[in-house]
Amino acid sequence: MSAESPAEMPAQRSMSADEEHLAKLGYKQELARSWSGFSNFAISFSIISILAGCLTTYGAGIANGGPVSISWSWPIISVFILIIGFTMSELVSAMPTSGGIYYWASKLGGPAAGFFTGWLNLIGLIAVTASVAYGCATFFHLTFLAWGWQDTFSLNFVFVLFLVILAFITVVNIFSSHLLAVINNISVWWHVAGAAFLVLVLIIVPDQHLSVSQVFTDKFNGSGWADGSTSSLVYFFAIIPFGFILTQYTITGFDASVHLSEETQGAARTAARAIWQSIFYSAVGGYILLLAVTFAIPQVDGQPDYASIPAGGVAYVFDTALGSTWGGLLLFVSSAAQLFCATACLTSTSRMMFAFSRDRAVPGSRYWSKVNAQRTPANAVIFAAVLGALITLPALKSVNGIPTAFYAVTSVSVIGLYFSFAIPIYLRWRAGDSFEVGSWNNGSKYKWMNLVAVIEIVVVGLFLMMPTSPFGAPWRDEFDWAAVNYAPIMVVAVLLLLALWWQASAKNWFTGPVKTIDEDVVNAFES
């Protein structure tokens, strides 16, 4: 059919600017474009969720460095993540499409780059959905304990509740995209009001607070490494970096703005803006929240009780400093925020799976790339939820009451997502000035920003693959499989499987993004 076909031209002229941009990228508009720019910002802000990441991994931050790991590491790592966000904003402005991370890699580096990027991104998204849902289940259980509805903490109960939450967010995600946009808009205000409420309570209610000096200079090593030393080189160059998971895990998932770009109006600008703004506002709000929690750390015999936090987390701080009534209320506020976050995570994951399947990269692609009557990828939603449940099964085991597998799942999510970001960020840097930028771009600053972004991702990713406890080190006498950080095992295994799959089969049939729109339509807009 020619570009001048009378039957085709009226349909072309009725396309919006967003649909035209998408057509130039090779795709027809299948998902409902009902999201506003604020809704696009809202989903990334909801997934970052300072009331989720900051509080569920707070114990890991204190165990690996103490207060200085909170007061200093958070703002420093946040700046690096903001730079990563700026580089991705530039990319989404040029190519605003669902599954954009691997689309960018494919266009800039070829099918192999897109294949590995897509799988790392998809695995990271499934893991982050699972970890947030598990953290949400844990916090609801802690809320019930604080209010006296249950008597003892049980990992089995947490896992059952985790499955219930996965089922609930799956049902919600199968309904209309517009409903999800409304839910994410509400989520933003819940997070803003909830965080403000937590901060005020933590300032007003406790009878005593740590001093400024203690919050900004106290060191603590509860990792088990280096015999608890806080002055050795191990403390500064290994223990504190282990605590980076608090920041890197919390401020992640902002690629949701990319995956929902095909459902967002004015995506070339609004999705780009949503990425860096969600990071910036979360970094500022999260820092205020973390400082409020740290100032409220209980004291025993006049000394801060840092040692009780790694196992008890913020629940110990809330209950001891505020009492069960206030503590339970703060836990409930956080639990509800985490439910919003888990819902948004599954939305983002399903869109990525839909897009990757649309390009035939996932086994059973024809099922995962289908949309239902509400124009949502329901099959992809269900499949992502089931996979999330399966990879979290090891969390049924604990070491000293701590489900170390939960931290392994968080590490997998961070490594998978950020490594998938690093590939197109590097490829864009390599493309140099030949890269065709969109309406939002970094100008010549990409030359240093993209390199800094890649280096930060690689360095932090390597630290997150190290054994965070002596119990998880195979060469130690106290080794226990339940304490193993299986993040590197899973990452390496997945990369090996992908490499074998690529060499044996995928390179023969995966050619990158598959056009779903008539080539003549694309040519009509390019002429």
Side-chain angles (χ1 to χ4, degrees), residues 84 163 235 310 328-329 389 437:
I84 294 170
L163 295 179
Y235 172 79
L329 181 58
V437 298

Side-chain angles (χ1 to χ4, degrees), residues 292-373:
V293 174
T294 306
F295 272 109
I297 288 175
Q299 300 182 54
V300 176
D301 298 327
Q303 296 299 318
D305 188 15
Y306 302 133
S308 297
I309 297 175
V314 292
Y316 166 74
V317 177
F318 290 170
D319 185 61
T320 307
L322 305 171
S324 60
T325 302
W326 279 111
L329 181 58
L330 296 198
L331 287 170
F332 172 76
V333 170
S334 176
S335 301
Q338 291 175 50
L339 189 59
F340 281 121
C341 178
T343 303
C345 285
L346 187 55
T347 305
S348 180
T349 304
S350 65
R351 273 30 174 208
M352 165 53 189
M353 181 171 283
F354 160 80
F356 208 28
S357 298
R358 178 175 59 187
D359 292 333
R360 303 164 194 167
V362 183
S365 290
R366 63 192 183 93
Y367 295 107
W368 322 131
S369 60
K370 281 185 177 180
V371 295
N372 61 13

Side-chain angles (χ1 to χ4, degrees), residues 38 51 70 83 87 146 201 285 350 480 482 487 512:
F38 181 80
L51 290 173
I70 307 294
I83 292 172
T87 65
V201 170
S350 65
D480 185 342

Side-chain angles (χ1 to χ4, degrees), residues 370-510:
K370 281 185 177 180
V371 295
N372 61 13
Q374 288 74 39
R375 299 177 73 183
T376 60
N379 293 342
V381 171
I382 296 169
F383 190 53
V386 171
L387 288 177
L390 292 176
I391 67 170
T392 316
L393 282 171
L396 285 166
K397 295 288 185 179
S398 70
V399 176
N400 297 326
I402 303 173
T404 53
F406 166 70
Y407 290 117
V409 173
T410 62
S411 294
V412 169
S413 68
V414 170
I415 294 165
L417 287 176
Y418 274 98
F419 277 28
S420 73
F421 300 165
I423 296 172
I425 290 172
Y426 167 75
L427 292 172
R428 186 271 173 267
W429 174 82
R430 191 183 69 175
D433 293 337
S434 66
F435 178 76
E436 186 178 341
V437 298
S439 54
W440 195 105
N441 60 81
N442 294 314
S444 62
K445 294 187 289 295
Y446 80 87
K447 295 177 181 178
W448 65 266
M449 293 174 75
N450 288 53
L451 275 183
V452 168
V454 171
I455 292 170
E456 194 274 350
I457 290 170
V458 171
V459 170
V460 173
L462 290 175
F463 275 116
L464 295 185
M465 287 192 280
M466 302 296 177
T468 56
S469 164
F471 292 101
W475 61 89
R476 305 273 298 202
D477 293 337
E478 62 268 46
F479 174 72
D480 185 342
W481 274 105
V484 169
N485 176 8
Y486 67 83
I489 299 173
M490 183 173 178
V491 170
V492 172
V494 165
L495 288 175
L496 284 175
L497 286 173
L498 289 176
L500 290 172
W501 186 15
W502 176 259
Q503 288 298 328
S505 173
K507 69 178 182 181
N508 299 318
W509 48 262
F510 182 75

Side-chain angles (χ1 to χ4, degrees), residues 5 7 73 77 111 162 172 182 187 200 212 216 242 270 278 323 383 386 398 401-402 418 435 449 487 519:
S5 169
S73 295
I77 299 299
F162 160 67
V172 171
V182 172
S187 173
L200 286 175
V212 173
F216 285 90
F242 287 160
T270 56
S278 63
F383 190 53
V386 171
S398 70
I402 303 173
Y418 274 98
F435 178 76
M449 293 174 75
E519 190 72 28

Side-chain angles (χ1 to χ4, degrees), residues 243-255:
F244 289 169
I245 190 173
L246 169 62
T247 314
Q248 204 85 11
Y249 169 66
T250 300
I251 311 180
T252 195
F254 45 83
D255 56 323

